[in-house]
Amino acid sequence: NTAILIVDMQPSFCTNDETKNLVQAINAILPEITDLTVYHVHTAWGYRPARQDIQFATDVPLEARAFRKEANSAFRAINTMTSLEKELKESGIENVVLAGVNLSACIRDTAIDSCKAAFNTIVLADLVGNNQKNEHLKKIEAFEDMAEAGTTYASTAAVLKTIKNKL
């Protein structure tokens, strides 16, 4: 009943040290979360909706679903005729775990919309970042906005431990 959304990990968004480190960290956990449904959500700018036309900086498990979004929030994603929210609910997903970039825009808006859609929303605090330099204050504001909406935060290690204990 848990899905992980990996947001905006396209090569063009992962060019600074912070985001390059995120690519490595996300790739490192993917083999450990094989029991979760993985969704890669990417920005539509310059990309076509067909999955084979999308490039990701992170590894993409074969069973992963790819959604195209046209706004900051992944819940404004389009995948043919299926909305991300509808698919998650029809799949029995109750918990949404977020990783990726950009914390102060896309992660923030996705987390807020996830809470509005009544999902238990967890941001992996060690697997989110920004691709712009000197955005420390924006990060703090994003965490405050997400907390106000009902988002919780956890380390990747804590979430993996919880998932393994439930299996």
Side-chain angles (χ1 to χ4, degrees):
N1 66 350
T2 301
I4 183 165
L5 304 185
I6 301 174
V7 179
D8 282 343
M9 295 302 291
Q10 293 99 248
S12 61
F13 287 3
C14 299
T15 56
N16 65 20
D17 289 341
E18 180 179 7
T19 54
K20 287 177 184 177
N21 290 336
L22 281 176
V23 169
Q24 292 174 355
I26 290 171
N27 284 341
I29 67 150
L30 287 174
E32 298 184 50
I33 59 171
T34 57
D35 294 317
L36 297 184
T37 304
V38 177
Y39 291 84
H40 278 264
V41 184
H42 65 95
T43 301
W45 304 307
Y47 293 102
R48 292 179 296 231
R51 179 180 170 166
Q52 62 270 23
D53 294 330
I54 305 166
Q55 291 185 332
F56 294 104
T58 53
D59 294 336
V60 181
L62 290 175
E63 67 281 359
R65 294 292 311 268
F67 273 79
R68 178 180 68 125
K69 67 185 181 76
E70 296 176 341
N72 286 341
S73 175
F75 286 90
R76 295 195 180 97
I78 300 168
N79 187 21
T80 14
M81 298 301 287
T82 307
S83 75
L84 178 61
E85 179 181 352
K86 180 180 176 187
E87 179 163 327
L88 292 173
K89 289 185 175 181
E90 287 178 353
S91 298
I93 299 298
E94 297 172 4
N95 307 300
V96 171
V97 179
L98 297 173
V101 296
N102 276 317
L103 173 61
S104 57
C106 301
I107 298 295
R108 175 196 167 278
D109 289 1
T110 298
I112 291 169
D113 284 351
S114 179
C115 290
K116 286 179 184 175
F119 293 107
N120 299 319
T121 307
I122 303 164
V123 171
L124 296 176
D126 53 340
L127 289 185
V128 292
N130 279 344
N131 65 2
Q132 303 294 320
K133 292 183 179 185
N134 303 319
E135 291 200 349
H136 182 70
L137 290 177
K138 285 185 179 181
K139 288 181 182 180
I140 292 170
E141 290 170 1
F143 277 113
E144 290 171 348
D145 292 346
M146 291 183 293
E148 187 175 308
T151 300
T152 57
Y153 309 97
S155 69
T156 303
V159 170
L160 291 175
K161 182 178 178 183
T162 301
I163 291 167
K164 288 180 182 182
N165 287 339
K166 290 185 177 183
L167 298 176

